[in-house]
Amino acid sequence: MAKAAFTVWENRIAPVFDVARHVRLVETENGRIVREDRAELTEESPVQKARRIADLGCGILVCGAISRPVQEMASAFGIRVISFMSGDEAEVLQAWLEGRLDEERFAMPGCRRRARGGRGGRPGRGSNCGGRGRGRCGPDGRAATGPAGRGAGKNFKPR
Amino acid sequence: MFTVDREWRITFFNRAAEAITGIDRKDAVGRRCSDVFRSSMCESECGLRLTLKTGKPVIGRAGFIIRADGSRIPISISTAVFRDSAGRVIGGVETFRDLSELEALRRELEGRYRVGDLVSRSPLMRKLFEVLPAVAASPSTVLILGETGTGKEVMARTIHGLSPRNRGPFVAVNCGAFPETLLESELFGYKAGAFTGAGKDKPGRFAMARGGTIFLDEIGEISTALQVKLLRVLQERVVEPLGSTHPVPADCRVLVATNRDLAELTRKGAFREDLYYRVNVIRVELPPLRSRKEDIPLLADQFIERFNRLQARAVTGISTEALSLLMAHPWPGNIRELENVIERSFILCREGAIGVGHLPEELTLQAAPRRAGSELRSGHDLLDARAIRSALEKNAFNRSAAARELGIHKTTLFRMMKRLGIPRPGKDGRSGHKQ
């Protein structure tokens, strides 16, 4: 069972987590959605928003741009952050379910991933972009690239 | 500068926009502006949206963008409608300015740093504030060092407030305030019948701090026997209430503090070495107030604001002369002493600003003894008196040497001593003073 939060705005991934106001919550089991919900992030401060995501029981956050201290706090709250994502909300959700979030089209501009030995690569130098290339993940611990189950949840270190 | 079409896709992205956002124009053009620009304004205060809706420009709206490395760049934007040669609206144009340097300058001018309830102008504290979020996010034990009254508990509360456990309780225990036997039952709790008078189970402070933070102040005061038990708690993360045979998990973050030199205590054998290394994982050292005097006006204002709120008063601030006295005081009791001084000033100062006459006597008497029948002296007199007394003491009451140090003629010194009511010592220090 995995519970993920997607910060959304106008049916797309919200551009900036720090000021995001709406979140789509998805619970999955064996790669299938078993429950869905939505919630508002009325909290003023970005850290409180991250705290709220943790309180909602989400272990994964898929979001747009996020400032580094907030990402570090979210990681400290036990949330795996897949950041600097963009695209249509439904498409991103589907890609996450299928472990395809590291596809180029879901990366925000300037957050291109560099290949790394077949494991999905790592973000470009100086980039904070996403968990892609580090904590690449689909639901239930599936890796975004490579064989299912490899890579996800391993070597994930908040920057 | 960049332009967008009516579908919010970027159609032009200039070199300055590339430099500020860190994004190549070939990556930006054709993408939605919110995915490229990633501004705090996109979702609710988009200037371009307003401009395209109303036809009116937006000028100088401030916010921030987030670059690919996670850094926040403060910016200001201006927007206008973009028309083709026929005058038809084909999109919008946005110009934006990087305010990072301006922001840094503003912070420098304002010169204050803030984390939670802690506020400071001191570079020493600034360094501390920079690492505090990382310290708070870590689950490790923190050792907070500082003289008495430097705000160790405030620091502990701030760390707790910033930590992932901030929804849990914050339990503070002053280890120096309990006799050894009582401290043990206070920390770990006891079971009914554990000793005479233990009628029912009592949870310890570790149990009360479950899910939160326990703050053990004056850790240097605990007995060696209790140190062993505390070491076990820190190593195994379990506590054993007195009279219990079952250990209970200690699910709390541990922060400890002391005003003593733990390394020295360890060398002397008064503090266990293994416990010292166990608590000294992350060390936070609070500077004494005398090393951060630039914070005195800021702290005084903070206390005045608080006492105004608590006592429903309208004290407006502190006079320049009174502040000079506060700045000249050595503050052996640190921030707590300053807080007491402001609180006591509130007794005499009902309204307006706190003046020299409202300050407690130990502050003004230390500067100069009160002359019989004298009214309130000015802050300058008090400061002069303090300087003279200090010079006299330093020069073993040799008045000529003291005058030399002060850069005044000795007759001026005599006259000032007389005017300020500084008694002449029975014997001039000349005989005993070595030049």
mmCIF file of all heavy atoms in Angstrom, chain A residues 9-10 12 15-16 18 21 46 51 55 65 67-68 73 77 84 86 107-109 126 128-129, chain B residues 23 27 31-32 34-36 38-40 42-43 49 66-70 72 137 162 164 166-167:
data_model
loop_
_atom_site.group_PDB
_atom_site.id
_atom_site.type_symbol
_atom_site.label_atom_id
_atom_site.label_comp_id
_atom_site.label_asym_id
_atom_site.label_seq_id
_atom_site.Cartn_x
_atom_site.Cartn_y
_atom_site.Cartn_z
ATOM 1 N N TRP A 9 -2.954 22.163 -9.847
ATOM 2 C CA TRP A 9 -3.510 23.478 -10.132
ATOM 3 C C TRP A 9 -3.976 23.482 -11.595
ATOM 4 O O TRP A 9 -3.192 23.126 -12.479
ATOM 5 C CB TRP A 9 -2.441 24.544 -9.904
ATOM 6 C CG TRP A 9 -2.795 25.913 -10.370
ATOM 7 C CD1 TRP A 9 -3.810 26.703 -9.885
ATOM 8 C CD2 TRP A 9 -2.140 26.669 -11.402
ATOM 9 N NE1 TRP A 9 -3.813 27.904 -10.547
ATOM 10 C CE2 TRP A 9 -2.813 27.912 -11.484
ATOM 11 C CE3 TRP A 9 -1.062 26.429 -12.246
ATOM 12 C CZ2 TRP A 9 -2.428 28.900 -12.391
ATOM 13 C CZ3 TRP A 9 -0.689 27.398 -13.138
ATOM 14 C CH2 TRP A 9 -1.366 28.626 -13.201
ATOM 15 N N GLU A 10 -5.215 23.801 -11.808
ATOM 16 C CA GLU A 10 -5.791 23.824 -13.155
ATOM 17 C C GLU A 10 -5.533 22.528 -13.912
ATOM 18 O O GLU A 10 -5.070 22.542 -15.060
ATOM 19 C CB GLU A 10 -5.245 25.016 -13.946
ATOM 20 C CG GLU A 10 -5.674 26.342 -13.350
ATOM 21 C CD GLU A 10 -5.364 27.523 -14.253
ATOM 22 O OE1 GLU A 10 -4.448 27.418 -15.077
ATOM 23 O OE2 GLU A 10 -6.064 28.540 -14.120
ATOM 24 N N ARG A 12 -3.271 20.484 -13.720
ATOM 25 C CA ARG A 12 -1.854 20.202 -13.984
ATOM 26 C C ARG A 12 -1.117 20.107 -12.654
ATOM 27 O O ARG A 12 -1.673 20.459 -11.606
ATOM 28 C CB ARG A 12 -1.229 21.330 -14.825
ATOM 29 C CG ARG A 12 -1.781 21.427 -16.234
ATOM 30 C CD ARG A 12 -1.141 22.592 -16.971
ATOM 31 N NE ARG A 12 0.308 22.453 -17.105
ATOM 32 C CZ ARG A 12 0.905 21.720 -18.028
ATOM 33 N NH1 ARG A 12 0.199 21.059 -18.907
ATOM 34 N NH2 ARG A 12 2.221 21.642 -18.087
ATOM 35 N N PRO A 15 2.835 24.527 -10.303
ATOM 36 C CA PRO A 15 4.232 24.883 -10.631
ATOM 37 C C PRO A 15 5.155 25.001 -9.418
ATOM 38 O O PRO A 15 6.331 24.663 -9.518
ATOM 39 C CB PRO A 15 4.101 26.234 -11.346
ATOM 40 C CG PRO A 15 2.751 26.753 -11.012
ATOM 41 C CD PRO A 15 1.886 25.555 -10.755
ATOM 42 N N VAL A 16 4.616 25.465 -8.277
ATOM 43 C CA VAL A 16 5.489 25.688 -7.109
ATOM 44 C C VAL A 16 4.851 25.074 -5.854
ATOM 45 O O VAL A 16 3.775 25.502 -5.433
ATOM 46 C CB VAL A 16 5.733 27.204 -6.886
ATOM 47 C CG1 VAL A 16 6.564 27.445 -5.632
ATOM 48 C CG2 VAL A 16 6.437 27.812 -8.096
ATOM 49 N N ASP A 18 5.828 25.356 -2.785
ATOM 50 C CA ASP A 18 5.885 26.272 -1.636
ATOM 51 C C ASP A 18 4.598 27.078 -1.458
ATOM 52 O O ASP A 18 4.302 27.533 -0.350
ATOM 53 C CB ASP A 18 7.071 27.254 -1.783
ATOM 54 C CG ASP A 18 8.407 26.543 -1.855
ATOM 55 O OD1 ASP A 18 8.456 25.458 -2.449
ATOM 56 O OD2 ASP A 18 9.398 27.071 -1.320
ATOM 57 N N ARG A 21 -1.892 25.041 -3.264
ATOM 58 C CA ARG A 21 -3.081 25.089 -2.414
ATOM 59 C C ARG A 21 -3.942 23.833 -2.475
ATOM 60 O O ARG A 21 -4.818 23.655 -1.642
ATOM 61 C CB ARG A 21 -3.951 26.275 -2.825
ATOM 62 C CG ARG A 21 -3.291 27.591 -2.515
ATOM 63 C CD ARG A 21 -4.113 28.710 -3.023
ATOM 64 N NE ARG A 21 -3.577 29.973 -2.556
ATOM 65 C CZ ARG A 21 -4.219 31.113 -2.668
ATOM 66 N NH1 ARG A 21 -5.401 31.158 -3.223
ATOM 67 N NH2 ARG A 21 -3.669 32.227 -2.233
ATOM 68 N N PRO A 46 5.479 27.022 3.746
ATOM 69 C CA PRO A 46 5.788 25.810 2.986
ATOM 70 C C PRO A 46 6.101 24.613 3.888
ATOM 71 O O PRO A 46 5.723 23.487 3.577
ATOM 72 C CB PRO A 46 7.020 26.204 2.181
ATOM 73 C CG PRO A 46 7.064 27.679 2.180
ATOM 74 C CD PRO A 46 6.371 28.139 3.396
ATOM 75 N N ARG A 51 4.424 19.422 6.297
ATOM 76 C CA ARG A 51 3.946 18.725 7.500
ATOM 77 C C ARG A 51 2.549 18.142 7.266
ATOM 78 O O ARG A 51 2.233 17.037 7.666
ATOM 79 C CB ARG A 51 3.932 19.729 8.658
ATOM 80 C CG ARG A 51 3.356 19.251 9.942
ATOM 81 C CD ARG A 51 4.393 18.528 10.751
ATOM 82 N NE ARG A 51 3.909 17.216 11.111
ATOM 83 C CZ ARG A 51 4.617 16.337 11.791
ATOM 84 N NH1 ARG A 51 5.826 16.607 12.161
ATOM 85 N NH2 ARG A 51 4.117 15.162 12.090
ATOM 86 N N ASP A 55 1.062 14.471 7.580
ATOM 87 C CA ASP A 55 -0.085 14.167 8.437
ATOM 88 C C ASP A 55 -1.206 13.463 7.669
ATOM 89 O O ASP A 55 -2.002 12.737 8.254
ATOM 90 C CB ASP A 55 -0.644 15.454 9.072
ATOM 91 C CG ASP A 55 0.286 15.993 10.142
ATOM 92 O OD1 ASP A 55 1.196 15.244 10.548
ATOM 93 O OD2 ASP A 55 0.112 17.144 10.572
ATOM 94 N N ALA A 65 8.185 22.742 -8.820
ATOM 95 C CA ALA A 65 9.388 23.283 -8.186
ATOM 96 C C ALA A 65 9.185 23.365 -6.675
ATOM 97 O O ALA A 65 8.074 23.600 -6.196
ATOM 98 C CB ALA A 65 9.673 24.676 -8.745
ATOM 99 N N SER A 67 11.480 24.678 -3.041
ATOM 100 C CA SER A 67 12.763 25.242 -2.604
ATOM 101 C C SER A 67 13.491 24.215 -1.736
ATOM 102 O O SER A 67 12.874 23.377 -1.085
ATOM 103 C CB SER A 67 12.577 26.574 -1.882
ATOM 104 O OG SER A 67 11.666 26.442 -0.844
ATOM 105 N N ARG A 68 14.809 24.305 -1.777
ATOM 106 C CA ARG A 68 15.608 23.237 -1.199
ATOM 107 C C ARG A 68 15.349 22.997 0.301
ATOM 108 O O ARG A 68 15.180 21.854 0.712
ATOM 109 C CB ARG A 68 17.101 23.505 -1.431
ATOM 110 C CG ARG A 68 17.935 22.277 -1.144
ATOM 111 C CD ARG A 68 19.395 22.557 -1.273
ATOM 112 N NE ARG A 68 19.725 22.960 -2.617
ATOM 113 C CZ ARG A 68 20.804 23.673 -2.915
ATOM 114 N NH1 ARG A 68 21.603 24.076 -1.976
ATOM 115 N NH2 ARG A 68 21.064 23.993 -4.155
ATOM 116 N N MET A 73 13.074 19.526 4.578
ATOM 117 C CA MET A 73 12.137 19.337 5.694
ATOM 118 C C MET A 73 11.164 18.211 5.372
ATOM 119 O O MET A 73 10.864 17.375 6.216
ATOM 120 C CB MET A 73 11.349 20.621 5.978
ATOM 121 C CG MET A 73 12.117 21.695 6.726
ATOM 122 S SD MET A 73 12.853 21.139 8.262
ATOM 123 C CE MET A 73 11.432 21.060 9.318
ATOM 124 N N PHE A 77 10.410 14.714 7.302
ATOM 125 C CA PHE A 77 9.096 14.243 7.749
ATOM 126 C C PHE A 77 8.813 12.830 7.228
ATOM 127 O O PHE A 77 7.737 12.297 7.435
ATOM 128 C CB PHE A 77 7.979 15.173 7.260
ATOM 129 C CG PHE A 77 7.981 16.531 7.907
ATOM 130 C CD1 PHE A 77 7.660 17.670 7.169
ATOM 131 C CD2 PHE A 77 8.280 16.694 9.239
ATOM 132 C CE1 PHE A 77 7.660 18.929 7.748
ATOM 133 C CE2 PHE A 77 8.278 17.941 9.833
ATOM 134 C CZ PHE A 77 7.972 19.059 9.092
ATOM 135 N N PHE A 84 10.026 18.977 -9.225
ATOM 136 C CA PHE A 84 10.283 19.584 -10.533
ATOM 137 C C PHE A 84 9.607 18.788 -11.652
ATOM 138 O O PHE A 84 10.171 18.582 -12.719
ATOM 139 C CB PHE A 84 11.791 19.773 -10.768
ATOM 140 C CG PHE A 84 12.373 20.832 -9.882
ATOM 141 C CD1 PHE A 84 12.808 20.528 -8.595
ATOM 142 C CD2 PHE A 84 12.433 22.149 -10.299
ATOM 143 C CE1 PHE A 84 13.307 21.496 -7.760
ATOM 144 C CE2 PHE A 84 12.941 23.135 -9.462
ATOM 145 C CZ PHE A 84 13.368 22.816 -8.189
ATOM 146 N N SER A 86 6.251 18.338 -14.187
ATOM 147 C CA SER A 86 5.233 19.172 -14.800
ATOM 148 C C SER A 86 4.380 18.303 -15.709
ATOM 149 O O SER A 86 4.760 17.183 -16.057
ATOM 150 C CB SER A 86 5.872 20.312 -15.592
ATOM 151 O OG SER A 86 6.482 19.797 -16.758
ATOM 152 N N ALA A 107 9.600 16.446 -17.068
ATOM 153 C CA ALA A 107 10.584 17.269 -16.359
ATOM 154 C C ALA A 107 10.327 18.743 -16.645
ATOM 155 O O ALA A 107 10.035 19.121 -17.779
ATOM 156 C CB ALA A 107 11.988 16.900 -16.818
ATOM 157 N N MET A 108 10.429 19.553 -15.622
ATOM 158 C CA MET A 108 10.313 20.992 -15.849
ATOM 159 C C MET A 108 11.501 21.453 -16.700
ATOM 160 O O MET A 108 12.582 20.860 -16.609
ATOM 161 C CB MET A 108 10.311 21.744 -14.520
ATOM 162 C CG MET A 108 8.961 21.714 -13.832
ATOM 163 S SD MET A 108 8.970 22.709 -12.357
ATOM 164 C CE MET A 108 7.275 23.268 -12.327
ATOM 165 N N PRO A 109 11.332 22.508 -17.484
ATOM 166 C CA PRO A 109 12.455 23.000 -18.289
ATOM 167 C C PRO A 109 13.671 23.313 -17.400
ATOM 168 O O PRO A 109 13.516 23.841 -16.301
ATOM 169 C CB PRO A 109 11.904 24.274 -18.922
ATOM 170 C CG PRO A 109 10.420 24.111 -18.891
ATOM 171 C CD PRO A 109 10.112 23.299 -17.692
ATOM 172 N N GLY A 126 24.432 20.616 -10.106
ATOM 173 C CA GLY A 126 23.848 21.800 -9.471
ATOM 174 C C GLY A 126 22.337 21.778 -9.484
ATOM 175 O O GLY A 126 21.693 22.722 -9.078
ATOM 176 N N ASN A 128 18.578 20.516 -8.438
ATOM 177 C CA ASN A 128 17.852 19.935 -7.327
ATOM 178 C C ASN A 128 16.692 19.131 -7.881
ATOM 179 O O ASN A 128 15.831 18.695 -7.157
ATOM 180 C CB ASN A 128 17.313 21.077 -6.463
ATOM 181 C CG ASN A 128 16.881 20.620 -5.097
ATOM 182 O OD1 ASN A 128 17.539 19.783 -4.503
ATOM 183 N ND2 ASN A 128 15.800 21.158 -4.611
ATOM 184 N N CYS A 129 16.675 19.029 -9.200
ATOM 185 C CA CYS A 129 15.463 18.577 -9.865
ATOM 186 C C CYS A 129 15.069 17.178 -9.495
ATOM 187 O O CYS A 129 15.698 16.208 -9.876
ATOM 188 C CB CYS A 129 15.645 18.656 -11.368
ATOM 189 S SG CYS A 129 15.888 20.319 -11.905
ATOM 190 N N ILE B 23 17.589 28.861 -17.282
ATOM 191 C CA ILE B 23 17.003 27.966 -18.288
ATOM 192 C C ILE B 23 17.340 28.477 -19.684
ATOM 193 O O ILE B 23 17.150 29.667 -19.974
ATOM 194 C CB ILE B 23 15.469 27.898 -18.111
ATOM 195 C CG1 ILE B 23 15.137 27.332 -16.716
ATOM 196 C CG2 ILE B 23 14.823 27.051 -19.201
ATOM 197 C CD1 ILE B 23 13.681 27.433 -16.355
ATOM 198 N N ASP B 27 14.994 25.539 -24.299
ATOM 199 C CA ASP B 27 14.183 24.701 -23.402
ATOM 200 C C ASP B 27 12.893 25.419 -22.996
ATOM 201 O O ASP B 27 11.917 24.781 -22.623
ATOM 202 C CB ASP B 27 14.953 24.365 -22.123
ATOM 203 C CG ASP B 27 16.112 23.421 -22.394
ATOM 204 O OD1 ASP B 27 16.020 22.664 -23.386
ATOM 205 O OD2 ASP B 27 17.090 23.452 -21.634
ATOM 206 N N ARG B 31 7.116 26.081 -24.035
ATOM 207 C CA ARG B 31 6.614 25.487 -22.789
ATOM 208 C C ARG B 31 5.688 26.459 -22.086
ATOM 209 O O ARG B 31 5.749 27.667 -22.297
ATOM 210 C CB ARG B 31 7.790 25.143 -21.856
ATOM 211 C CG ARG B 31 8.780 24.156 -22.427
ATOM 212 C CD ARG B 31 8.207 22.775 -22.596
ATOM 213 N NE ARG B 31 7.764 22.193 -21.337
ATOM 214 C CZ ARG B 31 8.475 21.318 -20.611
ATOM 215 N NH1 ARG B 31 9.663 20.950 -21.024
ATOM 216 N NH2 ARG B 31 7.996 20.812 -19.490
ATOM 217 N N ARG B 32 4.855 25.953 -21.199
ATOM 218 C CA ARG B 32 3.960 26.828 -20.434
ATOM 219 C C ARG B 32 4.792 27.729 -19.528
ATOM 220 O O ARG B 32 5.754 27.270 -18.901
ATOM 221 C CB ARG B 32 3.004 25.996 -19.579
ATOM 222 C CG ARG B 32 1.850 25.383 -20.373
ATOM 223 C CD ARG B 32 1.027 24.529 -19.452
ATOM 224 N NE ARG B 32 0.352 25.332 -18.444
ATOM 225 C CZ ARG B 32 -0.923 25.718 -18.525
ATOM 226 N NH1 ARG B 32 -1.659 25.365 -19.559
ATOM 227 N NH2 ARG B 32 -1.459 26.444 -17.564
ATOM 228 N N SER B 34 4.278 28.948 -16.629
ATOM 229 C CA SER B 34 4.344 28.604 -15.197
ATOM 230 C C SER B 34 5.368 27.495 -14.939
ATOM 231 O O SER B 34 5.972 27.454 -13.861
ATOM 232 C CB SER B 34 2.973 28.186 -14.679
ATOM 233 O OG SER B 34 2.467 27.102 -15.425
ATOM 234 N N ASP B 35 5.580 26.588 -15.938
ATOM 235 C CA ASP B 35 6.568 25.525 -15.765
ATOM 236 C C ASP B 35 7.988 26.061 -15.913
ATOM 237 O O ASP B 35 8.935 25.487 -15.385
ATOM 238 C CB ASP B 35 6.340 24.409 -16.802
ATOM 239 C CG ASP B 35 5.095 23.589 -16.480
ATOM 240 O OD1 ASP B 35 4.630 23.671 -15.327
ATOM 241 O OD2 ASP B 35 4.585 22.905 -17.376
ATOM 242 N N VAL B 36 8.128 27.141 -16.669
ATOM 243 C CA VAL B 36 9.457 27.722 -16.882
ATOM 244 C C VAL B 36 9.783 28.708 -15.759
ATOM 245 O O VAL B 36 10.848 28.656 -15.159
ATOM 246 C CB VAL B 36 9.498 28.475 -18.243
ATOM 247 C CG1 VAL B 36 10.852 29.161 -18.437
ATOM 248 C CG2 VAL B 36 9.217 27.514 -19.385
ATOM 249 N N ARG B 38 8.058 29.308 -12.791
ATOM 250 C CA ARG B 38 7.975 28.711 -11.454
ATOM 251 C C ARG B 38 7.981 29.786 -10.360
ATOM 252 O O ARG B 38 8.831 29.786 -9.468
ATOM 253 C CB ARG B 38 9.133 27.741 -11.243
ATOM 254 C CG ARG B 38 9.279 26.741 -12.373
ATOM 255 C CD ARG B 38 10.175 25.624 -12.000
ATOM 256 N NE ARG B 38 11.587 25.895 -12.093
ATOM 257 C CZ ARG B 38 12.374 25.471 -13.083
ATOM 258 N NH1 ARG B 38 11.859 24.750 -14.078
ATOM 259 N NH2 ARG B 38 13.649 25.716 -13.082
ATOM 260 N N SER B 39 7.021 30.670 -10.493
ATOM 261 C CA SER B 39 6.992 31.800 -9.566
ATOM 262 C C SER B 39 5.920 31.607 -8.497
ATOM 263 O O SER B 39 4.921 30.911 -8.714
ATOM 264 C CB SER B 39 6.713 33.073 -10.372
ATOM 265 O OG SER B 39 5.925 33.961 -9.647
ATOM 266 N N SER B 40 6.147 32.252 -7.358
ATOM 267 C CA SER B 40 5.165 32.192 -6.264
ATOM 268 C C SER B 40 3.856 32.850 -6.685
ATOM 269 O O SER B 40 2.824 32.655 -6.054
ATOM 270 C CB SER B 40 5.731 32.913 -5.037
ATOM 271 O OG SER B 40 6.041 34.250 -5.365
ATOM 272 N N CYS B 42 2.435 32.565 -9.831
ATOM 273 C CA CYS B 42 1.743 31.882 -10.939
ATOM 274 C C CYS B 42 0.331 31.450 -10.546
ATOM 275 O O CYS B 42 -0.632 31.691 -11.278
ATOM 276 C CB CYS B 42 2.523 30.644 -11.381
ATOM 277 S SG CYS B 42 4.103 31.032 -12.148
ATOM 278 N N GLU B 43 0.219 30.802 -9.389
ATOM 279 C CA GLU B 43 -1.037 30.152 -9.051
ATOM 280 C C GLU B 43 -2.143 31.136 -8.687
ATOM 281 O O GLU B 43 -3.300 30.924 -9.039
ATOM 282 C CB GLU B 43 -0.798 29.154 -7.906
ATOM 283 C CG GLU B 43 -1.846 28.075 -7.850
ATOM 284 C CD GLU B 43 -1.470 26.938 -6.908
ATOM 285 O OE1 GLU B 43 -0.321 26.441 -6.950
ATOM 286 O OE2 GLU B 43 -2.328 26.555 -6.124
ATOM 287 N N ARG B 49 -1.947 37.156 -16.330
ATOM 288 C CA ARG B 49 -3.367 36.772 -16.390
ATOM 289 C C ARG B 49 -4.243 38.007 -16.157
ATOM 290 O O ARG B 49 -5.216 38.245 -16.856
ATOM 291 C CB ARG B 49 -3.637 35.713 -15.318
ATOM 292 C CG ARG B 49 -5.001 35.038 -15.425
ATOM 293 C CD ARG B 49 -5.096 33.940 -14.391
ATOM 294 N NE ARG B 49 -4.199 32.834 -14.695
ATOM 295 C CZ ARG B 49 -4.590 31.656 -15.171
ATOM 296 N NH1 ARG B 49 -5.864 31.431 -15.383
ATOM 297 N NH2 ARG B 49 -3.720 30.715 -15.433
ATOM 298 N N ILE B 66 11.678 29.765 -8.320
ATOM 299 C CA ILE B 66 12.542 28.695 -7.823
ATOM 300 C C ILE B 66 13.349 28.135 -8.992
ATOM 301 O O ILE B 66 12.784 27.694 -9.987
ATOM 302 C CB ILE B 66 11.728 27.574 -7.147
ATOM 303 C CG1 ILE B 66 11.005 28.144 -5.926
ATOM 304 C CG2 ILE B 66 12.637 26.417 -6.736
ATOM 305 C CD1 ILE B 66 10.171 27.147 -5.165
ATOM 306 N N ARG B 67 14.656 28.210 -8.847
ATOM 307 C CA ARG B 67 15.527 27.695 -9.902
ATOM 308 C C ARG B 67 15.690 26.185 -9.756
ATOM 309 O O ARG B 67 15.287 25.607 -8.748
ATOM 310 C CB ARG B 67 16.902 28.366 -9.812
ATOM 311 C CG ARG B 67 16.882 29.809 -10.271
ATOM 312 C CD ARG B 67 18.192 30.487 -9.961
ATOM 313 N NE ARG B 67 19.313 29.791 -10.572
ATOM 314 C CZ ARG B 67 20.119 30.322 -11.486
ATOM 315 N NH1 ARG B 67 19.944 31.560 -11.871
ATOM 316 N NH2 ARG B 67 21.119 29.633 -11.981
ATOM 317 N N ALA B 68 16.329 25.597 -10.765
ATOM 318 C CA ALA B 68 16.465 24.140 -10.796
ATOM 319 C C ALA B 68 17.252 23.592 -9.608
ATOM 320 O O ALA B 68 17.099 22.434 -9.235
ATOM 321 C CB ALA B 68 17.142 23.715 -12.096
ATOM 322 N N ASP B 69 18.110 24.430 -8.998
ATOM 323 C CA ASP B 69 18.881 23.938 -7.851
ATOM 324 C C ASP B 69 18.131 24.126 -6.533
ATOM 325 O O ASP B 69 18.682 23.905 -5.462
ATOM 326 C CB ASP B 69 20.242 24.636 -7.788
ATOM 327 C CG ASP B 69 20.122 26.142 -7.612
ATOM 328 O OD1 ASP B 69 18.978 26.648 -7.544
ATOM 329 O OD2 ASP B 69 21.168 26.814 -7.549
ATOM 330 N N GLY B 70 16.876 24.549 -6.625
ATOM 331 C CA GLY B 70 16.065 24.689 -5.414
ATOM 332 C C GLY B 70 16.227 26.039 -4.731
ATOM 333 O O GLY B 70 15.637 26.266 -3.674
ATOM 334 N N ARG B 72 15.702 29.995 -4.099
ATOM 335 C CA ARG B 72 14.643 30.978 -4.313
ATOM 336 C C ARG B 72 15.273 32.291 -4.740
ATOM 337 O O ARG B 72 16.178 32.789 -4.069
ATOM 338 C CB ARG B 72 13.911 31.267 -2.996
ATOM 339 C CG ARG B 72 12.783 30.354 -2.692
ATOM 340 C CD ARG B 72 12.058 30.939 -1.486
ATOM 341 N NE ARG B 72 11.019 30.041 -1.013
ATOM 342 C CZ ARG B 72 10.026 30.421 -0.243
ATOM 343 N NH1 ARG B 72 9.936 31.679 0.158
ATOM 344 N NH2 ARG B 72 9.115 29.571 0.169
ATOM 345 N N ALA B 137 16.042 19.196 11.752
ATOM 346 C CA ALA B 137 15.545 18.086 10.932
ATOM 347 C C ALA B 137 16.188 16.753 11.314
ATOM 348 O O ALA B 137 15.592 15.700 11.128
ATOM 349 C CB ALA B 137 15.816 18.379 9.459
ATOM 350 N N LEU B 162 11.010 23.572 14.962
ATOM 351 C CA LEU B 162 11.386 23.409 13.552
ATOM 352 C C LEU B 162 11.480 21.934 13.156
ATOM 353 O O LEU B 162 11.649 21.613 11.988
ATOM 354 C CB LEU B 162 12.754 24.052 13.298
ATOM 355 C CG LEU B 162 12.850 25.576 13.406
ATOM 356 C CD1 LEU B 162 14.312 26.002 13.355
ATOM 357 C CD2 LEU B 162 12.089 26.233 12.277
ATOM 358 N N PRO B 164 10.642 17.722 12.820
ATOM 359 C CA PRO B 164 9.485 16.919 12.391
ATOM 360 C C PRO B 164 8.592 16.491 13.563
ATOM 361 O O PRO B 164 7.481 16.048 13.347
ATOM 362 C CB PRO B 164 10.145 15.686 11.753
ATOM 363 C CG PRO B 164 11.548 16.075 11.476
ATOM 364 C CD PRO B 164 11.918 17.096 12.479
ATOM 365 N N ASN B 166 7.423 18.523 15.822
ATOM 366 C CA ASN B 166 6.880 19.742 16.433
ATOM 367 C C ASN B 166 5.409 19.647 16.841
ATOM 368 O O ASN B 166 4.920 20.475 17.588
ATOM 369 C CB ASN B 166 7.117 20.969 15.527
ATOM 370 C CG ASN B 166 6.421 20.826 14.184
ATOM 371 O OD1 ASN B 166 5.715 19.846 13.936
ATOM 372 N ND2 ASN B 166 6.629 21.777 13.306
ATOM 373 N N ARG B 167 4.714 18.633 16.344
ATOM 374 C CA ARG B 167 3.327 18.454 16.792
ATOM 375 C C ARG B 167 3.268 17.719 18.136
ATOM 376 O O ARG B 167 2.233 17.693 18.789
ATOM 377 C CB ARG B 167 2.535 17.655 15.757
ATOM 378 C CG ARG B 167 2.350 18.356 14.432
ATOM 379 C CD ARG B 167 1.209 19.366 14.531
ATOM 380 N NE ARG B 167 1.140 20.193 13.350
ATOM 381 C CZ ARG B 167 0.418 19.905 12.287
ATOM 382 N NH1 ARG B 167 -0.309 18.808 12.262
ATOM 383 N NH2 ARG B 167 0.400 20.702 11.250
#
